């Protein structure tokens, strides 16, 4: 399995009709008896801001059943008990990081960010296995390189919260890639030649939401480039071959051509 483009923005923001990634709701399903205790979670998904901004349930999805399948899949794919729970803890850690973004308070004339109630920060640090004081200090007073020296600069509350969000998205991607790498280790036999390849490509066209962030624009652009490549090679060029060979063939219309949207990104002075 290869990861080309991983959407991360939904981790920290969902629109009203969107749900965050299913893994978070699976954790809260009580399918694994000791999981909430080990991940320092409560019983209410609404306690976690990052994953409760949009929808929290989907009628067609049984989170408890999905968690049962996921838990079994980790075992089948060769994850050790420690590796499996590390993935669960990383997932829960992101939920606590969302609450941590609300804990920054402005202090002094320059309204520099500080954390007065460190309960959420302690949970994040415990699950991540890092020193809480060090972590809080780096979010509130990050180090910047000025010339050849490193200096600490006070952050505003919004800047500190954005830093936490950025790290949360980075943790999500790294955890995702760790799972993929472990699956590949289990599924690939290194003694066999790679003579066959099965590619599964999830393609969608332009999606339009009430709010469209930079990441959504990038996703739309990449998806549309892939769609155009697919259309060109599977429909346009293939049908031209049929015509050249004199086959009795009625050209198939493969849908809306959004090349103009791609040009809007790529042309000089474009987006």
């Amino acid at each position: 399995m290869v990861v080309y483009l991983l959407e991360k923005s939904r981790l920290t923001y969902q629109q009203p009709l969107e749900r965050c990634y299913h893994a978070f709701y699976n954790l809260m399903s009580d399918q694994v008896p000791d999981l909430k205790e080990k991940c320092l979670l409560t019983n209410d998904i609404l306690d976690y801001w990052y994953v409760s901004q949009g929808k929290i349930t989907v009628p067609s999805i049984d989170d408890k059943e999905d968690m049962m399948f996921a838990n079994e899949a980790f075992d089948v794919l060769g994850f050790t008990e420690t590796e499996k729970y590390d993935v669960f803890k990383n997932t829960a850690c992101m939920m606590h990081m969302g609450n941590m973004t609300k804990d920054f308070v402005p202090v002094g004339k320059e309204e520099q960010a500080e954390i007065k109630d460190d309960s959420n920060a302690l949970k994040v640090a415990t699950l991540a296995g890092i020193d809480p004081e060090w972590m809080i200090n780096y979010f509130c007073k990050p180090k910047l390189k000025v010339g050849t020296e490193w200096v600490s600069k006070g952050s505003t509350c919004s800047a500190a919260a954005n830093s936490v969000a950025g790290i949360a998205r980075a943790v999500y991607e790294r955890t995702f890639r760790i799972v993929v790498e472990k699956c590949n280790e289990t599924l690939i036999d290194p003694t066999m030649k790679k003579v066959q390849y099965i590619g599964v490509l999830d393609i969608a066209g332009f999606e339009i939401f009430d709010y469209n962030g930079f990441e959504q624009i990038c996703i739309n652009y990449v998806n549309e480039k892939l769609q155009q490549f697919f259309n060109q090679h599977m429909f346009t060029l293939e049908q031209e071959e049929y015509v050249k060979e004199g086959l009795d063939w009625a050209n198939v219309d493969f849908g809306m051509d959004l090349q103009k949207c791609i040009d809007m990104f790529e042309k000089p002075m474009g987006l």
Side-chain angles (χ1 to χ4, degrees), residues 224 227-228 231 235 252-258:
E224 201 54 49
Q227 184 70 62
Q228 287 292 91
N231 288 348
F235 293 106
V252 176
D253 181 8
F254 51 82
M256 187 182 296
D257 183 357
L258 292 179

Side-chain angles (χ1 to χ4, degrees), residues 13 30 51 68 81 96 99 102 119 122 135 139 155 183 189 194 199-200 207 210 242 253 268:
Y13 172 78
D30 292 317
V51 297
M68 178 185 72
E81 196 75 2
H96 293 298
N99 292 352
K102 302 294 187 182
S119 56
L122 288 173
M135 178 188 71
F139 281 130
S155 285
C183 290
D189 184 349
K194 294 183 181 179
V200 180
E207 294 180 292
D210 291 334
Y242 296 165
D253 181 8

Side-chain angles (χ1 to χ4, degrees), residues 10-251:
R10 198 182 300 182
L11 170 65
T12 54
Y13 172 78
Q14 305 100 51
Q15 300 197 52
L17 296 179
E18 280 187 319
R19 186 164 98 143
C20 195
Y21 307 114
H22 301 314
F24 299 107
Y25 311 96
N26 295 165
L27 283 187
M28 300 293 288
S29 67
D30 292 317
Q31 174 61 36
V32 181
D34 63 342
L35 189 55
K36 283 183 180 176
E37 182 182 353
K38 288 185 176 179
C39 292
L40 311 178
L41 295 168
T42 66
N43 291 317
D44 190 353
I45 191 69
L46 295 176
D47 289 340
Y48 303 99
W49 178 70
Y50 265 179
V51 297
S52 60
Q53 299 171 67
K55 296 178 73 173
I56 56 175
T57 58
V58 177
S60 61
I61 295 176
D62 184 337
D63 292 313
K64 195 163 188 174
E65 183 182 55
D66 284 355
M67 187 62 195
M68 178 185 72
F69 291 143
N71 191 42
E72 290 175 357
F74 276 116
D75 296 333
V76 171
L77 287 165
F79 284 74
T80 65
E81 196 75 2
T82 300
E83 288 172 334
K84 179 170 70 172
Y85 273 87
D86 281 346
V87 172
F88 293 153
K89 287 178 180 179
N90 275 0
T91 306
C93 183
M94 299 172 228
M95 298 168 72
H96 293 298
M97 291 178 84
N99 292 352
M100 184 179 164
T101 62
K102 302 294 187 182
D103 292 337
F104 295 106
V105 294
V107 175
K109 291 182 180 180
E110 296 182 1
E111 297 190 335
Q112 292 187 357
E114 285 189 11
I115 287 183
K116 299 295 186 183
D117 180 3
D118 63 358
S119 56
N120 288 312
L122 288 173
K123 292 175 183 176
V124 171
T126 300
L127 292 172
I130 58 177
D131 178 63
E133 187 176 341
W134 172 86
M135 178 188 71
I136 292 170
N137 186 57
Y138 268 81
F139 281 130
C140 294
K141 297 178 181 178
K143 287 188 174 182
L144 303 174
K145 193 170 186 179
V146 180
T148 58
E149 296 183 358
W150 290 91
V151 296
S152 294
K153 178 183 178 297
S155 285
T156 62
C157 293
S158 61
N162 287 337
S163 295
V164 174
I167 295 297
R169 289 191 290 267
V171 170
Y172 174 77
E173 178 168 17
R174 283 161 175 76
T175 303
F176 188 93
R177 289 181 182 276
I178 286 170
V179 172
V180 170
E181 287 172 8
K182 182 65 178 179
C183 290
N184 285 338
E185 284 179 17
T186 303
L187 298 173
I188 296 175
D189 184 349
T191 63
M192 294 178 65
K193 291 183 178 179
K194 294 183 181 179
V195 294
Q196 294 179 327
Y197 179 84
I198 300 175
V200 180
L201 183 60
D202 179 9
I203 299 180
F206 274 74
E207 294 180 292
I208 301 173
F209 300 107
D210 291 334
Y211 171 78
N212 297 277
F214 176 73
E215 189 176 56
Q216 186 61 49
I217 290 290
C218 293
I219 291 168
N220 285 347
Y221 170 63
V222 171
N223 283 344
E224 201 54 49
K225 286 285 284 186
L226 291 170
Q227 184 70 62
Q228 287 292 91
F229 179 87
F230 179 83
N231 288 348
Q232 177 71 8
H233 287 78
M234 294 302 294
F235 293 106
T236 305
L237 296 179
E238 199 66 24
Q239 292 185 121
E240 287 176 1
E241 283 295 318
Y242 296 165
V243 172
K244 288 178 184 177
E245 293 174 9
L247 298 177
D248 184 12
W249 178 260
N251 275 358

